[in-house]
């Protein structure tokens, strides 16, 4: 596996690179956006490890630019900010996973391996199902051509389900990626949100947009 490491901290670069070497993987370091963009222009990577703060530059902006350039390698964000809002910002920018600093090396490796197995990130920017259209870039939802209001948290949940491309996502995975925690309170909030989404969107889909797998999770019923 070939991993691009983008971080302005030399110690972090060396730590991640040496860890990958011990596991038999290759890595390419980049200390900022310009180096990173040159690297992806020159070759392909299986995973990109990207720090959120790159000196005066933003890792979030770099991630968005990589996605605009159709770089599809999964992106793992590293950041000293571990709040729910920071995680959501990273996922909305086009990232696939988020690991707060300081991190355990074993967890870093496990997340990189998981992203490597997942393969290229093909996140849909527009999703259609029957008369439902979800535009994730503009954050606008339409049913039969009529725009319906969708809250920020509802978009977070829809993003997680859309990324699964019709596969079932467990309750805990949705909670971890959308709220950053799994608790009775967030479980109750998820149930309320799914009920609201059904009222807003299911009428525009022949089978209903949201499918529940009782006792496990949710999935979106997508068109072939």
């Amino acid at each position: 596996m070939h991993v691009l490491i983008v971080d302005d901290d030399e110690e972090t670069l060396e730590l991640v690179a040496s860890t990958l070497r011990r596991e038999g993987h290759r890595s390419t370091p980049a200390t900022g956006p310009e180096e990173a963009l040159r690297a992806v222009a020159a070759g392909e990577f299986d995973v990109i490890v990207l720090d959120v703060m790159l000196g005066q530059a933003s890792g979030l902006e770099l991630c968005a630019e990589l996605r605009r350039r159709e770089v599809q390698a999964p992106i793992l964000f590293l950041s000293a900010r571990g709040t729910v809002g920071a995680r959501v910002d990273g996922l909305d920018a086009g990232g696939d996973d988020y690991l707060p600093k300081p991190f355990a090396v074993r967890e870093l490796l496990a997340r990189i391996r998981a992203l490597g197995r997942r393969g290229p990130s093909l996140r849909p920017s527009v999703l259609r199902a029957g008369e439902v259209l979800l535009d994730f870039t503009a954050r606008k939802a339409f049913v039969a051509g009529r725009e319906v209001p969708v809250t920020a948290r509802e978009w977070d949940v829809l993003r997680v389900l859309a990324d699964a491309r019709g596969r079932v996502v467990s309750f805990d995975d949705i909670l971890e990626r959308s709220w950053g925690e799994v608790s009775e309170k967030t479980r109750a909030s998820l149930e309320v949100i799914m009920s609201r989404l059904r009222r807003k969107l299911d009428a525009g889909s022949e089978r209903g947009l949201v499918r529940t797998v009782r006792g496990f999770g949710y999935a979106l019923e997508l068109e072939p």
Side-chain angles (χ1 to χ4, degrees):
M1 187 158 53
H2 191 185
V3 180
L4 174 64
I5 312 165
V6 189
D7 200 307
D8 63 336
D9 181 73
E10 293 291 339
E11 289 186 9
T12 302
L13 279 175
E14 178 53 33
L15 171 64
V16 178
S18 60
T19 299
L20 289 167
R21 279 197 302 270
R22 287 196 298 271
E23 294 292 312
H25 304 302
R26 291 189 298 144
S27 65
T28 296
T31 58
E34 292 185 2
E35 284 186 43
L37 292 173
R38 284 197 297 269
V40 297
E44 294 187 359
F45 295 91
D46 299 293
V47 176
I48 298 173
V49 177
L50 174 57
D51 190 24
V52 171
M53 295 302 298
L54 300 170
Q56 299 301 312
S58 165
L60 299 177
E61 292 178 3
L62 174 57
C63 177
E65 178 61 25
L66 290 170
R67 294 308 187 213
R68 281 193 292 270
R69 297 189 183 199
E70 298 186 352
V71 175
Q72 296 178 352
I75 293 176
L76 168 62
F77 276 113
L78 300 179
S79 176
R81 297 176 59 217
T83 63
V84 173
R87 296 181 190 182
V88 170
D89 288 343
L91 296 172
D92 282 346
D96 297 271
D97 200 357
Y98 196 103
L99 183 61
K101 295 180 178 178
F103 52 82
V105 171
R106 288 180 58 192
E107 183 178 6
L108 172 68
L109 280 172
R111 289 175 182 260
I112 290 175
R113 287 195 299 266
L115 290 176
R117 289 194 299 269
R118 182 187 302 178
S121 178
L122 302 173
R123 308 183 88 198
S125 59
V126 175
L127 184 150
R128 297 177 186 271
E131 295 185 344
V132 177
L133 185 149
L134 303 177
D135 185 334
F136 288 95
T137 301
R139 286 207 163 195
K140 291 186 176 182
F142 300 88
V143 175
R146 178 179 59 86
E147 186 173 357
V148 296
V150 176
T151 68
R153 185 72 76 186
E154 289 167 354
W155 278 116
D156 294 341
V157 173
L158 286 171
R159 175 79 274 174
V160 173
L161 295 177
D163 286 350
R165 307 182 192 96
R167 297 190 302 274
V168 181
V169 185
S170 72
F171 300 131
D172 287 358
D173 283 348
I174 297 172
L175 294 173
E176 181 63 36
R177 289 190 58 183
S178 299
W179 275 265
E181 64 173 298
V182 178
S183 65
E184 290 303 316
K185 181 179 179 180
T186 55
R187 281 179 181 272
S189 297
L190 176 60
E191 289 181 10
V192 171
I193 281 179
M194 298 311 294
S195 177
R196 289 204 309 246
L197 287 173
R198 284 196 173 93
R199 288 199 301 271
K200 295 176 182 180
L201 305 175
D202 273 7
S205 178
E206 184 177 341
R207 294 177 295 175
L209 182 64
V210 179
R211 176 165 62 94
T212 302
V213 176
R214 197 172 298 277
F216 182 76
Y218 299 102
L220 295 184
E221 293 285 10
L222 306 181
E223 296 178 351

